[in-house]
Amino acid sequence: MKVDSILQAKGRTVEAIGPDADLRLVVHKLASRGIGSLVVSADGRHPDGVIAERDVVRGLNRHGQRFLEQRARDIMTRNPPTCTAEQSLQDVMEIMTSTRHRHLPVIDAQGCLAGIISIGDVVKYRLGEMELEREVLRDAYVVHR
């Protein structure tokens, strides 16, 4: 299974925000859209960084109330790990595990945003695959009894 399968099912929309965005807006977008990360992009096409919920928590811990006076560029993870639509879910799971990132921007051959996937997306697809395998094995067992 490839990343493209997930994108076909969930869509290719990427929630992005500019690097100069106020962190109040960042927090509002994360909360109101029920998402765990935002891609930071100056041009809306190329990822400059990612802001995840854990970046917000760490920033609040480090800066206290002054945290909300900062900009997205101040707390974003620069050069986040990415993947392509052609990569396997196994590759993506290895990237997420080794880098400890729960969200990966998907980029195309020109380095432009083509989507975003989360660990939840990967787990959902893997569970679907396992359920299908279970049903096939069960049916094969019933036929050969």
Side-chain angles (χ1 to χ4, degrees), residues 60-115:
L60 281 168
N61 182 57
R62 189 174 317 122
H63 302 287
Q65 290 179 333
R66 292 175 304 144
F67 171 75
L68 293 175
E69 298 167 8
Q70 296 183 17
R71 302 288 171 195
R73 71 175 169 274
D74 299 327
I75 69 157
M76 71 181 186
T77 299
R78 298 175 190 280
N79 302 312
T82 61
C83 64
T84 68
E86 296 306 312
Q87 281 185 270
S88 71
L89 294 188
Q90 183 66 36
D91 286 347
V92 169
M93 287 188 286
E94 289 174 15
I95 292 169
M96 288 178 166
T97 301
S98 66
T99 65
R100 302 192 68 185
H101 285 85
R102 297 176 184 169
H103 300 85
L104 295 182
V106 181
I107 57 170
D108 64 17
Q110 291 75 38
C112 294
L113 287 167

Side-chain angles (χ1 to χ4, degrees), residues 18-37:
D20 293 325
D22 183 272
L23 288 185
R24 286 177 185 85
L25 179 58
V26 169
V27 170
H28 174 75
K29 281 185 93 168
L30 288 170
S32 66
R33 289 178 171 79
I35 55 177
S37 73

